């Protein structure tokens, strides 16, 4: 499978717990993006990596959110002290520098109870 | 149910008809636009893109039209098939080299056999 992989596909957690999601981009893609999507809405930009450098973060990304891409390959998104408002689909996407169209993963659906 | 609170614009067409999905964008600085298709439980799938120096681009069964004067984008799907049923999003890059995308409100396309 040469697509963008995200793990887990679904996560149910209790309010206040920490969660971590993983994204494996297409191997030759050095640009990686995280988006959040709530029901009935389009995805909203969270953060962007070029190789291992986090170059842009949205104001949506509160202090409880942190993302890393330690070796410029896979990326993780951690949410600390989850709140019910964090319930959403978290999407990862990647692209090369030449190809402007992203490839999205299937997302991780987070439910905070 | 899952669709409670879902207030997407909807388009219902008969199999074999042509479909036109419209999108208005607000930022005159946007220089790149993409149409995505999203099926239930999946991430957005790239359909076609267009740069702001073009007004039309064609793909396989799809055409994107860009009218910068009125900030309007449309997606035309020829000979619509049941497999085309999905939510369609337009997305724009509001300038900048990071190509973070701003997504519009989706349109739910239902194709009746």
């Amino acid at each position: 499978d040469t697509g963008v992989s995200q793990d887990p596909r679904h996560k149910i957690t209790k309010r206040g717990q920490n969660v971590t999601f993983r994204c494996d981009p297409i191997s030759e893609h050095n640009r990686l993006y995280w988006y959040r999507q709530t029901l009935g809405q389009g995805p909203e930009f969270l953060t962007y990596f070029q190789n291992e450098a986090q170059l842009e973060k949205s104001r949506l990304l509160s202090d409880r959110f942190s993302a890393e891409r330690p070796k410029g390959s896979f990326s993780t998104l951690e949410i600390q002290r989850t709140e019910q408002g964090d319930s959403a689909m978290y999407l990862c996407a990647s692209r090369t520098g030449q190809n402007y169209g992203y490839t999205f993963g299937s997302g991780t659906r987070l439910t905070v109870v | 149910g899952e669709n409670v609170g879902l207030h997407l614009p909807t388009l219902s067409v008969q199999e074999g008809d042509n479909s036109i999905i419209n999108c208005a964008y607000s930022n005159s600085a946007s220089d790149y636009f993409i149409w995505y298709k999203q099926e239930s439980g999946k991430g957005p799938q790239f359909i076609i893109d267009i740069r702001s120096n073009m007004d039309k681009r064609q793909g396989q069964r799809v055409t994107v039209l860009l009218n910068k004067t009125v900030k309007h984008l449309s997606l035309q799907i020829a000979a619509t098939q049941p497999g085309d049923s999905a939510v369609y999003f337009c997305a724009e890059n509001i300038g900048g080299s990071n190509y973070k995308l701003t997504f519009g409100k989706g349109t739910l396309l239902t194709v009746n056999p």
Side-chain angles (χ1 to χ4, degrees):
Chain A
D1 185 4
T2 58
V4 177
S5 299
Q6 292 190 246
D7 183 69
R9 290 294 310 276
H10 304 274
K11 178 71 177 179
I12 299 174
T13 191
K14 292 183 178 179
R15 189 175 50 189
Q17 296 295 305
N18 300 342
V19 293
T20 300
F21 310 140
R22 177 180 170 121
C23 171
D24 287 90
I26 294 172
S27 59
E28 61 267 28
H29 287 187
N30 61 345
R31 270 85 162 164
L32 186 147
Y33 301 77
W34 284 98
Y35 282 77
R36 180 171 67 190
Q37 185 177 26
T38 53
L39 193 63
Q41 302 297 318
E44 295 176 294
F45 171 79
L46 291 179
T47 190
Y48 161 65
F49 289 86
Q50 183 171 324
N51 299 311
E52 66 276 8
Q54 188 175 20
L55 298 186
E56 190 166 352
K57 292 195 294 185
S58 164
R59 294 176 191 173
L60 294 175
L61 217 63
S62 76
D63 292 345
R64 297 184 296 106
F65 287 69
S66 62
E68 294 183 340
R69 195 182 183 197
K71 297 183 180 179
S73 56
F74 74 92
S75 175
T76 58
L77 177 68
E78 181 184 14
I79 308 174
Q80 296 182 327
R81 304 181 304 281
T82 52
E83 302 172 356
Q84 286 189 319
D86 297 331
S87 295
M89 174 79 85
Y90 290 84
L91 293 161
C92 177
S94 69
R95 67 176 184 95
T96 67
Q98 289 76 40
N99 179 10
Y100 302 118
Y102 297 3
T103 300
F104 277 89
S106 293
T108 294
R109 179 167 295 284
L110 173 67
T111 303
V112 182
V113 298
Chain B
E2 194 174 81
N3 290 339
V4 171
L6 194 68
H7 298 295
L8 290 177
T10 59
L11 176 64
S12 183
V13 301
Q14 290 299 121
E15 182 178 0
D17 287 352
N18 296 333
S19 302
I20 299 176
I21 300 171
N22 296 303
C23 177
Y25 66 95
S26 57
N27 198 314
S28 57
S30 296
D31 62 358
Y32 175 66
F33 305 87
I34 310 178
W35 279 101
Y36 281 96
K37 171 187 180 184
Q38 188 172 28
E39 296 172 287
S40 181
K42 297 184 179 180
Q45 177 187 355
F46 174 91
I47 301 174
I48 192 168
D49 59 359
I50 189 167
R51 300 193 67 79
S52 60
N53 59 355
M54 303 171 69
D55 52 23
K56 181 179 180 179
R57 190 156 188 236
Q58 289 185 292
Q60 186 177 12
R61 282 202 307 120
V62 294
T63 300
V64 55
L65 299 177
L66 175 62
N67 184 331
K68 293 182 288 294
T69 303
V70 295
K71 299 195 195 72
H72 184 266
L73 194 68
S74 69
L75 176 70
Q76 300 177 2
I77 305 174
T80 316
Q81 302 167 1
D84 295 327
S85 295
V87 177
Y88 288 80
F89 291 98
C90 65
E92 60 186 301
N93 174 52
I94 306 177
S97 60
N98 290 344
Y99 282 89
K100 66 180 184 186
L101 298 177
T102 299
F103 283 77
K105 196 173 183 66
T107 295
L108 176 61
L109 174 65
T110 301
V111 182
N112 303 308

PDB file of all heavy atoms in Angstrom, chain B residues 10-26:
ATOM      1  N   THR B  10     -27.196  19.938  -0.907  1.00  0.00           N
ATOM      2  CA  THR B  10     -27.319  18.624  -1.521  1.00  0.00           C
ATOM      3  C   THR B  10     -27.691  18.765  -2.980  1.00  0.00           C
ATOM      4  O   THR B  10     -28.328  19.729  -3.402  1.00  0.00           O
ATOM      5  CB  THR B  10     -28.373  17.773  -0.803  1.00  0.00           C
ATOM      6  OG1 THR B  10     -29.624  18.461  -0.864  1.00  0.00           O
ATOM      7  CG2 THR B  10     -27.996  17.541   0.641  1.00  0.00           C
ATOM      8  N   LEU B  11     -27.247  17.778  -3.754  1.00  0.00           N
ATOM      9  CA  LEU B  11     -27.571  17.699  -5.164  1.00  0.00           C
ATOM     10  C   LEU B  11     -27.931  16.257  -5.459  1.00  0.00           C
ATOM     11  O   LEU B  11     -27.155  15.352  -5.168  1.00  0.00           O
ATOM     12  CB  LEU B  11     -26.360  18.128  -6.007  1.00  0.00           C
ATOM     13  CG  LEU B  11     -26.501  18.010  -7.527  1.00  0.00           C
ATOM     14  CD1 LEU B  11     -27.589  18.938  -8.027  1.00  0.00           C
ATOM     15  CD2 LEU B  11     -25.173  18.310  -8.212  1.00  0.00           C
ATOM     16  N   SER B  12     -29.105  16.065  -6.029  1.00  0.00           N
ATOM     17  CA  SER B  12     -29.549  14.726  -6.368  1.00  0.00           C
ATOM     18  C   SER B  12     -29.735  14.651  -7.874  1.00  0.00           C
ATOM     19  O   SER B  12     -30.433  15.479  -8.464  1.00  0.00           O
ATOM     20  CB  SER B  12     -30.864  14.425  -5.643  1.00  0.00           C
ATOM     21  OG  SER B  12     -31.270  13.100  -5.899  1.00  0.00           O
ATOM     22  N   VAL B  13     -29.098  13.676  -8.506  1.00  0.00           N
ATOM     23  CA  VAL B  13     -29.175  13.546  -9.961  1.00  0.00           C
ATOM     24  C   VAL B  13     -29.466  12.096 -10.334  1.00  0.00           C
ATOM     25  O   VAL B  13     -29.279  11.186  -9.526  1.00  0.00           O
ATOM     26  CB  VAL B  13     -27.862  13.994 -10.654  1.00  0.00           C
ATOM     27  CG1 VAL B  13     -27.547  15.447 -10.330  1.00  0.00           C
ATOM     28  CG2 VAL B  13     -26.703  13.094 -10.292  1.00  0.00           C
ATOM     29  N   GLN B  14     -29.908  11.905 -11.554  1.00  0.00           N
ATOM     30  CA  GLN B  14     -30.125  10.571 -12.082  1.00  0.00           C
ATOM     31  C   GLN B  14     -28.838  10.063 -12.729  1.00  0.00           C
ATOM     32  O   GLN B  14     -28.058  10.833 -13.312  1.00  0.00           O
ATOM     33  CB  GLN B  14     -31.237  10.578 -13.135  1.00  0.00           C
ATOM     34  CG  GLN B  14     -32.636  10.835 -12.581  1.00  0.00           C
ATOM     35  CD  GLN B  14     -33.071   9.773 -11.591  1.00  0.00           C
ATOM     36  OE1 GLN B  14     -33.376  10.066 -10.438  1.00  0.00           O
ATOM     37  NE2 GLN B  14     -33.062   8.525 -12.039  1.00  0.00           N
ATOM     38  N   GLU B  15     -28.627   8.775 -12.584  1.00  0.00           N
ATOM     39  CA  GLU B  15     -27.465   8.146 -13.228  1.00  0.00           C
ATOM     40  C   GLU B  15     -27.439   8.505 -14.713  1.00  0.00           C
ATOM     41  O   GLU B  15     -28.466   8.433 -15.411  1.00  0.00           O
ATOM     42  CB  GLU B  15     -27.539   6.636 -13.050  1.00  0.00           C
ATOM     43  CG  GLU B  15     -26.375   5.877 -13.639  1.00  0.00           C
ATOM     44  CD  GLU B  15     -26.471   4.376 -13.380  1.00  0.00           C
ATOM     45  OE1 GLU B  15     -27.457   3.936 -12.733  1.00  0.00           O
ATOM     46  OE2 GLU B  15     -25.560   3.656 -13.817  1.00  0.00           O
ATOM     47  N   GLY B  16     -26.269   8.884 -15.184  1.00  0.00           N
ATOM     48  CA  GLY B  16     -26.108   9.240 -16.591  1.00  0.00           C
ATOM     49  C   GLY B  16     -26.222  10.732 -16.871  1.00  0.00           C
ATOM     50  O   GLY B  16     -25.745  11.206 -17.912  1.00  0.00           O
ATOM     51  N   ASP B  17     -26.851  11.474 -15.941  1.00  0.00           N
ATOM     52  CA  ASP B  17     -26.936  12.924 -16.112  1.00  0.00           C
ATOM     53  C   ASP B  17     -25.578  13.561 -15.804  1.00  0.00           C
ATOM     54  O   ASP B  17     -24.708  12.947 -15.191  1.00  0.00           O
ATOM     55  CB  ASP B  17     -27.989  13.509 -15.179  1.00  0.00           C
ATOM     56  CG  ASP B  17     -29.397  13.199 -15.627  1.00  0.00           C
ATOM     57  OD1 ASP B  17     -29.562  12.652 -16.740  1.00  0.00           O
ATOM     58  OD2 ASP B  17     -30.337  13.489 -14.858  1.00  0.00           O
ATOM     59  N   ASN B  18     -25.444  14.817 -16.213  1.00  0.00           N
ATOM     60  CA  ASN B  18     -24.270  15.583 -15.824  1.00  0.00           C
ATOM     61  C   ASN B  18     -24.561  16.313 -14.512  1.00  0.00           C
ATOM     62  O   ASN B  18     -25.693  16.740 -14.259  1.00  0.00           O
ATOM     63  CB  ASN B  18     -23.908  16.598 -16.909  1.00  0.00           C
ATOM     64  CG  ASN B  18     -23.509  15.920 -18.206  1.00  0.00           C
ATOM     65  OD1 ASN B  18     -23.031  14.787 -18.202  1.00  0.00           O
ATOM     66  ND2 ASN B  18     -23.698  16.613 -19.324  1.00  0.00           N
ATOM     67  N   SER B  19     -23.541  16.445 -13.684  1.00  0.00           N
ATOM     68  CA  SER B  19     -23.684  17.134 -12.392  1.00  0.00           C
ATOM     69  C   SER B  19     -22.809  18.370 -12.387  1.00  0.00           C
ATOM     70  O   SER B  19     -21.706  18.358 -12.941  1.00  0.00           O
ATOM     71  CB  SER B  19     -23.234  16.216 -11.248  1.00  0.00           C
ATOM     72  OG  SER B  19     -23.966  15.031 -11.221  1.00  0.00           O
ATOM     73  N   ILE B  20     -23.312  19.409 -11.755  1.00  0.00           N
ATOM     74  CA  ILE B  20     -22.511  20.617 -11.573  1.00  0.00           C
ATOM     75  C   ILE B  20     -22.553  20.991 -10.099  1.00  0.00           C
ATOM     76  O   ILE B  20     -23.632  21.198  -9.534  1.00  0.00           O
ATOM     77  CB  ILE B  20     -23.026  21.795 -12.422  1.00  0.00           C
ATOM     78  CG1 ILE B  20     -22.962  21.450 -13.909  1.00  0.00           C
ATOM     79  CG2 ILE B  20     -22.184  23.053 -12.145  1.00  0.00           C
ATOM     80  CD1 ILE B  20     -23.540  22.519 -14.810  1.00  0.00           C
ATOM     81  N   ILE B  21     -21.395  21.052  -9.489  1.00  0.00           N
ATOM     82  CA  ILE B  21     -21.277  21.425  -8.082  1.00  0.00           C
ATOM     83  C   ILE B  21     -20.548  22.759  -8.020  1.00  0.00           C
ATOM     84  O   ILE B  21     -19.498  22.928  -8.656  1.00  0.00           O
ATOM     85  CB  ILE B  21     -20.508  20.346  -7.293  1.00  0.00           C
ATOM     86  CG1 ILE B  21     -21.248  19.016  -7.393  1.00  0.00           C
ATOM     87  CG2 ILE B  21     -20.339  20.757  -5.835  1.00  0.00           C
ATOM     88  CD1 ILE B  21     -20.472  17.839  -6.825  1.00  0.00           C
ATOM     89  N   ASN B  22     -21.111  23.676  -7.267  1.00  0.00           N
ATOM     90  CA  ASN B  22     -20.584  25.037  -7.234  1.00  0.00           C
ATOM     91  C   ASN B  22     -19.909  25.355  -5.911  1.00  0.00           C
ATOM     92  O   ASN B  22     -20.224  24.771  -4.874  1.00  0.00           O
ATOM     93  CB  ASN B  22     -21.711  26.040  -7.468  1.00  0.00           C
ATOM     94  CG  ASN B  22     -22.312  25.894  -8.832  1.00  0.00           C
ATOM     95  OD1 ASN B  22     -21.622  25.979  -9.845  1.00  0.00           O
ATOM     96  ND2 ASN B  22     -23.620  25.643  -8.892  1.00  0.00           N
ATOM     97  N   CYS B  23     -18.999  26.308  -5.983  1.00  0.00           N
ATOM     98  CA  CYS B  23     -18.270  26.722  -4.794  1.00  0.00           C
ATOM     99  C   CYS B  23     -17.911  28.199  -4.938  1.00  0.00           C
ATOM    100  O   CYS B  23     -17.404  28.604  -5.994  1.00  0.00           O
ATOM    101  CB  CYS B  23     -17.016  25.867  -4.643  1.00  0.00           C
ATOM    102  SG  CYS B  23     -15.951  26.296  -3.269  1.00  0.00           S
ATOM    103  N   ALA B  24     -18.185  28.970  -3.902  1.00  0.00           N
ATOM    104  CA  ALA B  24     -17.776  30.367  -3.878  1.00  0.00           C
ATOM    105  C   ALA B  24     -16.592  30.492  -2.935  1.00  0.00           C
ATOM    106  O   ALA B  24     -16.602  29.911  -1.857  1.00  0.00           O
ATOM    107  CB  ALA B  24     -18.928  31.242  -3.408  1.00  0.00           C
ATOM    108  N   TYR B  25     -15.587  31.231  -3.346  1.00  0.00           N
ATOM    109  CA  TYR B  25     -14.474  31.474  -2.446  1.00  0.00           C
ATOM    110  C   TYR B  25     -14.390  32.962  -2.170  1.00  0.00           C
ATOM    111  O   TYR B  25     -14.967  33.772  -2.895  1.00  0.00           O
ATOM    112  CB  TYR B  25     -13.162  30.912  -3.005  1.00  0.00           C
ATOM    113  CG  TYR B  25     -12.645  31.565  -4.268  1.00  0.00           C
ATOM    114  CD1 TYR B  25     -11.715  32.589  -4.221  1.00  0.00           C
ATOM    115  CD2 TYR B  25     -13.072  31.110  -5.513  1.00  0.00           C
ATOM    116  CE1 TYR B  25     -11.226  33.173  -5.371  1.00  0.00           C
ATOM    117  CE2 TYR B  25     -12.595  31.690  -6.676  1.00  0.00           C
ATOM    118  CZ  TYR B  25     -11.674  32.717  -6.605  1.00  0.00           C
ATOM    119  OH  TYR B  25     -11.208  33.290  -7.756  1.00  0.00           O
ATOM    120  N   SER B  26     -13.699  33.300  -1.104  1.00  0.00           N
ATOM    121  CA  SER B  26     -13.790  34.692  -0.647  1.00  0.00           C
ATOM    122  C   SER B  26     -12.501  35.482  -0.805  1.00  0.00           C
ATOM    123  O   SER B  26     -12.535  36.716  -0.790  1.00  0.00           O
ATOM    124  CB  SER B  26     -14.214  34.721   0.825  1.00  0.00           C
ATOM    125  OG  SER B  26     -13.308  33.977   1.605  1.00  0.00           O
TER     126      SER B  26
END
